[in-house]
Amino acid sequence: MCHRFHRGRPLRPRRRASRGLAACASAGLAVLVCAAPGHAIDAAGCPGASAIPTGATLQQASGATRCLVNQVRGEHGRAPLASHPRLALAAGRHGLDMVRRRYLGHRTPTGVTLVRRLERVGYVGAGRTWTAGEDLAWGTGVLATPERTVQAWLDSPSHRRVLLDAGYREIGIGVVLGLPVDRADLRGQPAVTYAADFGSRTQ
């Protein structure tokens, strides 16, 4: 069972007063996470958090992921994040694209960035001050659950910074069945790809 995601330095979008585009992608560096987690999160209050998502439970998995993120933020004195449909649309589309084209990253193989993806769904645009960030992950077996995914983000310093950023007010979660990589040794295993887009903007 594997859990893999990107990490790295924060990136700055082109807009004024934006805070960190992603804190999880740098030079295509992937990190394999199979170690025991540190301080465990409590998934009891988030229905579906400990279940491996299926085609029939993707919406529940998305809700459980947001529930866990907000639980962790609350434990650290951060405000909860409201679900935003445009962020969810961008995250879901990116998750599907990564699975279809077999890559894991904030920039697509054709160079489309998180900023551009958020522009396409109308979340950011001219005349607005905004900030955005993104966490990505994929997992197989029990590591494909929302609980283990959020735990892995929390245990990774770069992902943790995005998850706990006090400047974010909204979130959209994309949960997609399948792997963003071509791994013969993992074929046939339950696999899930996650994209979490965080944001805040002026109206």
Side-chain angles (χ1 to χ4, degrees), residues 49-136:
S50 301
I52 299 172
T54 67
T57 63
L58 293 178
Q59 185 172 358
Q60 182 186 50
S62 175
T65 304
R66 181 170 65 90
C67 176
L68 291 170
V69 167
N70 280 335
Q71 179 189 98
V72 170
R73 286 175 63 88
E75 291 171 355
H76 290 81
R78 306 295 193 269
L81 302 174
S83 179
H84 195 287
R86 294 189 182 186
L87 286 175
L89 178 60
R93 285 178 176 176
H94 191 51
L96 284 170
D97 189 57
M98 289 190 293
V99 170
R100 287 171 180 165
R101 292 203 276 177
R102 303 294 191 191
Y103 71 95
L104 180 69
H106 306 287
R107 185 182 295 269
T108 74
T110 53
V112 179
T113 64
L114 171 61
V115 176
R116 182 62 181 136
R117 288 186 274 114
L118 295 183
E119 288 174 342
R120 285 177 173 176
V121 298
Y123 185 76
V124 302
R128 282 181 166 162
T129 301
W130 54 269
T131 180
E134 182 173 76
D135 278 347
L136 306 174

Side-chain angles (χ1 to χ4, degrees), residues 66 69-70 73 79-83 163 165 168-171 198-199:
R66 181 170 65 90
V69 167
N70 280 335
R73 286 175 63 88
L81 302 174
S83 179
L163 195 153
D165 191 317
Y168 296 135
R169 293 290 178 266
E170 299 163 328
I171 192 172
F198 299 77

